């Protein structure tokens, strides 16, 4: 017989821009917010009785209203605020998950009211709240990095389908997709999330640059451990690193050598290296990664 | 102290097209294959020692070589074949995950050698193999469906941020993203995966159409239970249904009524309904959904 | 000194879905409509005086209102209706361009109210109207086709950078982007645009299939001439055909031959063949292609 | 009778990355190059005789070989170099068009070999060469800018479908797609294209910021004239500015005012403002914009 398993529902990708005006010097926060609620949802699935269902339209309205009432500081604080509101105010909602993406802008010259979208990575976070406890994962995606040297790949396993030559010098490039779990998210909103973000981002960039790499896995592990070293509140780091292959072009047919100078940047297929680095004493993750 | 947690690596999105020629009547299979391997990978992360690492380039080669040697039938069989090869032939590889997407083509007229890409949904599968056991999840994505009537939404929870009016007639549209777990994947490749696929697809479409819907959750549950009813080998169904909002346009300012005739198809935000339906006696999922 | 050159403005990508109910058998038309107006627009550019500017928001409203008032038949008729309205009703608007894309749906089983998005190509049209004359271009995009044989490529020019081997048998695949100009668009809306569309689409597909191809240019020309042959009202055809390369995989390192069986479908770069076929006596195109 | 009209063919989107090593301080140029050739192409269309056709594969090889032999400086120089090569070295090729996009990278910290992809706009150029004359258009796309104030929209034309209220303060945002034609491209490669690019980019940003805007058309014209003022060698500017609507959210139902603080960033539809600003004495454009 069929039974209902895990489920959740919400409003995905609400695009909210919050402007703050301090005299002529304005500030903008540009977010994409996705909310997901779960709880006493058996009836709506079985019979279509919506009495436990706070509409996704209401969730969207709440995002806009909270942006006004509370302002938008660090996205982690905004996500926690929303998660707590939904689970604390709706009797049938026992768990809220709020994901926020932040799109970066820079000032356009000296003008206080004019901005240019910065192309830097997207900053992300996911907050969970179950009526008692909170979990927060911060992260980033689309941080594209490339090393022109200090990367080798050799000594790998070989079988009858292996044709790849070994190399002692290659371009290493990836689009970093990283997330890090905060050990102490339940202790309230007193954290300096922005500072933690800059620390983690800096650690990822530095470790990518200064690790002499024998494999992308080694670089991944170095990036994860560096985040743990730089961010005391972080207990676990997850990384997904596509190997954005830059193939050395064979110019020999044209009488030219190519000593690491001309590369073809390929689209697909690509290597994909995924891994986790965590503290030995990391607390259980609970729903943090869901 | 930092330790290495779960990890895997592989080649993502190898695009392989396999042609079979039976006289003048050719056949094509058009796949995107992603392989992920895991096992004794501590050293490569810690020191960059690649001796346990079968290159992702080799994985790609294997996809091409197997397409030649074994042909491509049902994608589930091809995925299992690859997964077993990697985990059985490489001592350091203890687990293989192979995901395949199939892009549909139709014959172009009566010509045996000419094809038109069909726009129907993408068929998907993920196979896992750990050296002993297998797990198979089949599925589809981008199956876009719409009902012009037989959908209501009312009686929902309301709070101070609720402005949505109740409705007794609305357009219901979604892009079905569904996956179903086979209970008996370990019993070998004797299944008729293609028939199972058509059964599941037919069940999803029929349940979407003939469910008088009071909420998208109710429709989701009906779709999941229908798959279980039509596919005896399936023990669990997971559905992710974006509510592709079609808003009734207010034409009153122009002296026109709009009795379910003209809609604005919105992009973002969108409702997102996610849920699982499973048999009471479904075996444990193991790594099937990872 | 700076002067204002050609300009236009409008509302792009209004997504309108029109439902028609004939008892239980409903019908849907799913369009993306883009309008562009031009005329006495010097002042708005120079001083910001908007008195000649019908807001783009109004253009969007008009699309919705016209879908209700006039229904939606062939997209060419709907585009012409809108173009004439804007240029005839607004004194400052002297020229209107309306582009419409149609997304195809099929019935979901025998249900009169349930539909499945068909993956076939997007049907397109662009209509122009200048207060007196009309121009109509119909077309399609994303019609992906592939021939497994009957394609060669050899005898080409060679220089010091040429390494491509000649081939007497290759896969030929493309995503057809085609548009055809109607000679007689000014004569009113009496045309059967839907029939013309099916004729042109059929001609493109048939010519792609039954042309034994020595180059994609030859196939392009055959497709264009076939449309002219099948569609008496069409005077010019423009085609843009990406050569979606399917490279024969070298399986020799694995002791396997590959006689046109296993291909790698590449993303980038791709060949791009663009060309025009027209009747000798085609009338001047005027603004039709703008 | 059918005749062949305008046509061209080439290799689109060759992704080339060029590394230059000056000791430990490396430099990278990351380009997407598209070449299009035309000339004596009647036979290949009519009979498939390829003797005039330099393969698109050869064009790709040439891009890579030239990146090695000549290095990559300003993209305009690289485009002209390629265009001249094709039209001067192949008797059947009478015209070459080369389009280049440049993706920006920044140094990753103080490391000479490590880079971060900058998210700033994509720099573009298109060069034409017909065996004698050259034409160069430079530009950019995806420069996303936003003003939080100093934008009004009122006094517009109204008809029966107009519902938009007038506003004296709105957010104005757009993704600038701009291209500017150089008057003197035939005079050889002695220009400082990089400096011209920074001048034009700076002019666009400054004009967007310091124009008090009564309509996006006015802003467009100001941006175009500013480029002409700052760049003496430029004779024509074309701009395509989507109006990325930021709608003020109605918070009144929640007892909140919203004085320019909370906005919904909409996707579609969007206004689209296109226009040209040129010098009175601009020379004829010839094929520059094709």
């Amino acid at each position: 017989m069929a039974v209902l398993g895990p489920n959740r529902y919400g409003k995905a990708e609400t695009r909210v821009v919050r402007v703050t005006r301090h005299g002529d010097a304005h500030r903008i926060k540009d977010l994409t917010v996705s909310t997901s609620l779960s709880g006493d949802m058996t009836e709506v699935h079985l019979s279509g009785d919506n009495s436990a269902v706070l509409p996704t339209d209401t969730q969207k309205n709440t995002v806009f209203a909270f942006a006004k009432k509370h302002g938008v500081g660090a996205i982690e604080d905004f996500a926690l605020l929303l998660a707590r509101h939904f689970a604390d105010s709706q009797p049938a909602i026992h768990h809220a998950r709020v994901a926020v993406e932040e799109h970066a802008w820079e000032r356009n010259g000296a003008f206080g009211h004019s901005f240019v979208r910065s192309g830097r990575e997207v900053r992300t976070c996911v907050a969970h709240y179950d009526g008692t406890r909170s979990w927060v994962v911060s992260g980033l995606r689309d941080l594209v990095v490339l090393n022109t040297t200090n990367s080798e790949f050799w000594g790998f396993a070989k079988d009858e389908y292996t044709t790849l030559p070994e190399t002692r010098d290659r371009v290493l490039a990836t689009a970093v997709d990283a997330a890090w779990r905060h050990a102490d998210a339940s202790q309230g909103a007193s954290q300096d999330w922005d500072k933690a973000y800059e620390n983690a981002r800096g650690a990822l960039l530095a470790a990518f640059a200064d690790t002499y790499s024998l494999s992308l896995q080694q670089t991944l592990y170095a990036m994860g451990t560096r985040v743990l070293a730089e961010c005391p509140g972080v207990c676990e780091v997850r990384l997904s690193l596509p190997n954005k292959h830059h193939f050395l072009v064979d110019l020999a047919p044209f009488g030219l050598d190519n000593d690491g100078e001309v590369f073809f940047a390929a689209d697909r297929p690509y290597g994909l290296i995924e891994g986790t680095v965590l503290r030995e004493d990391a607390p259980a993750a609970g729903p943090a990664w869901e």
Side-chain angles (χ1 to χ4, degrees), chain A residues 52-218:
Chain A
V53 177
L54 188 73
T56 66
D57 186 77
T58 300
Q59 297 174 40
K60 175 200 69 180
N61 287 347
T62 307
V63 170
F64 289 128
F66 274 41
K68 163 64 183 176
K69 282 169 78 168
H70 305 284
V72 177
I75 56 175
E76 288 86 352
D77 284 328
F78 193 62
L80 281 169
L81 190 73
L82 284 163
R84 287 169 184 153
H85 165 76
F86 291 122
D88 285 343
S89 65
Q90 283 293 317
I93 303 300
H94 303 158
H95 192 105
R97 175 193 190 273
V98 179
V100 181
E101 299 194 335
E102 179 171 4
H103 314 287
W105 293 81
E106 295 169 357
R107 290 210 177 278
N108 179 7
F111 298 93
H113 73 292
S114 193
F115 298 87
V116 188
R117 177 93 166 244
S118 155
R120 51 186 272 173
E121 75 285 350
V122 176
R123 176 173 167 182
T124 64
C125 81
V126 177
H128 284 267
Y129 176 69
D130 71 353
T132 309
R133 290 163 299 169
S134 303
W135 295 263
V136 176
V137 170
S138 301
L140 57 78
R141 61 175 173 78
D142 300 336
L143 177 67
V144 183
V145 289
L146 181 151
N147 288 341
T148 49
T149 189
N150 293 2
S151 170
E152 309 186 5
F153 189 55
W154 52 269
F156 41 75
K158 294 176 188 65
D159 71 7
E160 63 182 300
Y161 301 111
T162 302
T163 57
L164 187 75
E166 302 196 327
T167 177
R168 302 281 168 159
D169 191 15
R170 63 171 180 173
V171 162
L172 187 70
T174 188
V176 181
D177 184 341
W180 44 93
R181 177 161 61 97
H182 300 275
D184 50 358
S186 288
Q187 300 165 6
S190 57
Q191 290 212 33
D192 186 343
W193 304 104
D194 291 345
K195 183 156 174 294
Y197 179 78
E198 288 306 327
N199 284 351
R201 180 183 188 269
L204 293 167
L205 285 171
F208 180 79
D210 70 15
T211 300
Y212 191 100
S213 175
L214 300 174
S215 72
L216 187 46
Q217 282 92 332
Q218 187 186 18

Side-chain angles (χ1 to χ4, degrees), chain A residues 274-287:
Chain A
E274 302 167 280
T276 302
V277 186
L278 70 172
R279 297 191 195 280
E280 271 185 320
D281 60 352

